[in-house]
Each structure stands twice: as C-alpha cells, then as structure tokens.
C-alpha cells in the first residue's frame, strides 16, 4: 500500500491562504511569483507583485516583455523555505498576492504609459505595497508617477549600468530617458537620489549622485550602502533595479549588457544593507529570458525581488 500524498499543488490558483509557502515541487505546478495566489482582490493584502510585459521602448535587443514570466518561473526555486539571509519566510508576515500582468494594447503605444500608471494607482489605492516586474526600464516612469501621486516626490535608488538621463522632448517612449524626465517633472528629488553600478556616459547626471562600476572594489559593500543611506535619508524612496547593473556574466539575459558590472553577490549584499530606508515601492526590469542561459538572469531577477521583499518583511516583523 502506498503512502498518502499531500495534494497541495497549484497554489497559484488553489491556495487557501495568501500567507505561507506552498511546498510544491520546484519543477511542477502552476507558476506565479513565489507560488503566490493570483488575485485582484487586495482586501487585507500587504504586498502585490505585478508584471508589466512591455518592451517596445528598447534601444537594442527586445525581449523584456518575457521578463515577468521568466522571473515567476525562476522564483519557484525559492518558495516555501526560510529566505536567505533573512532566516524567515517573508510570506509568514506579509500577505502577498500575484496581481498578474498589466493590461494594454501592444498596438497603441502612446496609450501604454497611461495604462501602467492608472493600473498601478488602482493597486496603490488599496493600501498594498507594489513591487513590479518589467518590462523594459521605461515602465519605471509611469510607476513613479503612480507612487508620487500617493507619497509626493521620492528619492530614487537606481541600480543600473546606464544613467537613463538621455534627452527627450517629454513624450518619447524610451527606456533610456526615464530618470531625466522624472527629475524634470519633479517626480524624484535628485539631491536624495543615487545610481549604483553605472558604466556608460550620458550627456548629463540631472543632479543624481553616481557610484560607478569601477568604484565598487574601492568602496566595498559597506562603503556603498553608507553612501546610499547618507544620500537618501529617511524620506520616502523608490528602488528600481535594472538587471544590467549586474555584469553580463551574472545577467546575460538583458537588452543592453555592459561589461564591468556588479556580481549578483555584491548587488544582493548592497540591497540587503538598505533595510533602514523607507522604500514605498520598487521594481526589477530588463530581464530578457531569450538571451539567458540556464535561467541565470531570471534567477538573479527573482533574487532581487525576494531580497527587497525580505527587507519589507523584516521591517514588518520588527514593527510587531
Ligand atoms: Mn535602465
């Protein structure tokens, strides 16, 4: 006689709770971010994870529209365990759902920023914290608008190989311009904002502080986190993580890779050190699985998301 098997599979659809792990096999079952329940009911929800499968604004390789799928698939590795290095399952303290993906018509590009912003605003109106999975880096611009409408101007903590401050005329849909536009429109306060991992030149900094890729070794992890914390202070902040902040060795699956970047260990350690900041929202963008190998980049993207969520969970636990 065979032993009775637990039937706790497909938590993404059948899960009875928005807390806890699902404990289903990594290699099987319906995928969602960290096996969270898919839901658009945000009653009592602390955190919504949301995909934005948009990549029509890239300057080189397209493919980040598959980023949400890639990160969801990779995240299945981690579900159900205490998450390193936090020594706890964040979903024991945070009620979290996968809100699915942003809805838009790919054939009407000019309408897409408005759709991203308004759907993000709907999520934020529920009181839930929003973490978004891109998509190319343009998506951070409408995401910032939605968060700023709720919180006022924000500090930006931007992990990136590129400054994304290229000129635009105010209406371009371009993944290389969101930071400059956010400064010009007063969405972010450049004096409290900082970019980490930069290793390309843009015409202007728009007033943001920069930690270049080549400065990482000299500063060390503690030196980098100290500079970020000193810059950002205690006010509300937004974290955006362009996966091309990582060296192509650690994130080959992205649209505009640049050599000389951070290792995944360095980047995760820096992010881990930012728990005292007042993050009100975040995203990970530019994961393009078609150029990936063995899911390296998707796993890195899921790890960034999970580290950010770990910081939220730790804060919640400390608050009691
Ligand atoms: Mn970027």
């Amino acid at each position: 006689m065979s032993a009775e098997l637990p039937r706790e599979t497909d938590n993404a659809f059948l899960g009875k709770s928005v807390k806890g792990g699902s404990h289903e096999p990594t290699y099987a079952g319906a995928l969602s971010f960290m096996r969270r329940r898919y839901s658009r009911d945000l009653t009592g929800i602390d955190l919504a994870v949301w995909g934005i499968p948009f990549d029509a604004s890239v300057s080189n390789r397209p493919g980040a529209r598959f980023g949400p799928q890639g990160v969801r698939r990779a995240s299945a590795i981690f579900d159900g365990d205490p998450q390193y290095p936090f020594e706890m399952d964040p979903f024991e303290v945070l009620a979290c759902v996968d809100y699915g993906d942003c809805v838009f018509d790919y054939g009407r590009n000019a309408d897409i920023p408005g759709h991203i912003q308004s759907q993000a605003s709907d999520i934020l109106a529920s009181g839930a914290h929003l973490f978004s999975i891109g998509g190319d880096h343009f998506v951070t611009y409408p995401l910032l608008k939605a968060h700023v409408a709720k919180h006022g101007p924000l500090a930006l903590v931007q992990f990136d190989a590129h400054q994304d401050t290229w000129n635009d005329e105010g209406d371009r849909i371009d993944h290389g311009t969101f930071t400059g536009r956010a400064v010009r429109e007063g969405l972010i306060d450049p004096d409290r904002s900082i970019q980490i991992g930069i290793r390309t030149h843009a015409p202007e900094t728009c007033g943001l502080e920069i930690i270049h890729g080549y400065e990482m070794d000299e500063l060390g992890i503690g030196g980098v986190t100290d500079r970020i914390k000193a810059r950002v202070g205690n006010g509300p902040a937004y974290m955006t993580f362009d996966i091309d902040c990582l060296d192509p060795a650690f994130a080959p699956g992205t649209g505009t890779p640049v050599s000389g970047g951070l290792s995944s260990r360095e980047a995760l350690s820096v992010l881990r050190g930012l728990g005292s900041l007042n993050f009100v929202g975040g995203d990970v963008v530019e994961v393009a699985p078609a150029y990936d190998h063995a899911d390296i980049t998707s796993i890195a993207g899921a790890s960034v998301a999970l580290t950010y969520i770990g910081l939220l969970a730790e804060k919640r636990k400390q608050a009691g």
Side-chain angles (χ1 to χ4, degrees), residues 82 123 133 140 150 152 178 181 205 218 234 285-286 293 297:
I123 295 171
I133 304 168
T140 301
K150 182 168 183 177
F178 90 90
R181 199 191 294 183
T205 67
E218 192 182 327
N234 300 320
V285 298
E286 300 280 359
H293 302 278
T297 315

Side-chain angles (χ1 to χ4, degrees), residues 44-67:
I45 296 301
D46 301 307
L47 170 67
V49 178
W50 188 43
I52 310 178
F54 171 79
D55 68 0
S57 81
V58 296
S59 49
N60 189 13
R61 306 165 174 169
R65 68 179 58 186
F66 296 101

Side-chain angles (χ1 to χ4, degrees), residues 137 158-164 175 178 242 244 285-286:
H137 218 162
Q158 179 182 353
F159 294 86
D160 208 323
H162 313 85
Q163 297 171 57
D164 296 343
H175 78 152
F178 90 90
D242 188 325
D244 69 25
V285 298
E286 300 280 359

Side-chain angles (χ1 to χ4, degrees), residues 112-134:
I112 292 174
H115 288 309
I116 296 171
Q117 183 185 342
S118 69
Q119 290 167 44
S121 294
D122 287 347
I123 295 171
L124 294 175
S126 76
H129 194 109
L130 172 59
F131 188 88
S132 306
I133 304 168

Side-chain angles (χ1 to χ4, degrees), residues 234-250:
N234 300 320
Y238 187 92
M239 195 284 302
T240 184
F241 198 112
D242 188 325
I243 206 70
D244 69 25
C245 175
L246 303 183
D247 190 87
F250 298 90

Side-chain angles (χ1 to χ4, degrees), residues 166-206:
W166 291 91
N167 293 327
D168 71 22
E169 298 77 34
D171 61 355
R172 281 177 60 79
I173 299 177
D174 185 325
H175 78 152
T177 64
F178 90 90
T179 308
R181 199 191 294 183
V183 172
R184 284 190 291 278
E185 295 185 6
L187 303 176
I188 62 172
D189 176 1
D191 294 334
R192 294 200 300 119
S193 298
I194 187 163
Q195 300 175 317
I196 304 103
I198 300 299
R199 47 201 192 279
T200 51
H201 293 295
E204 52 180 325
T205 67
C206 295

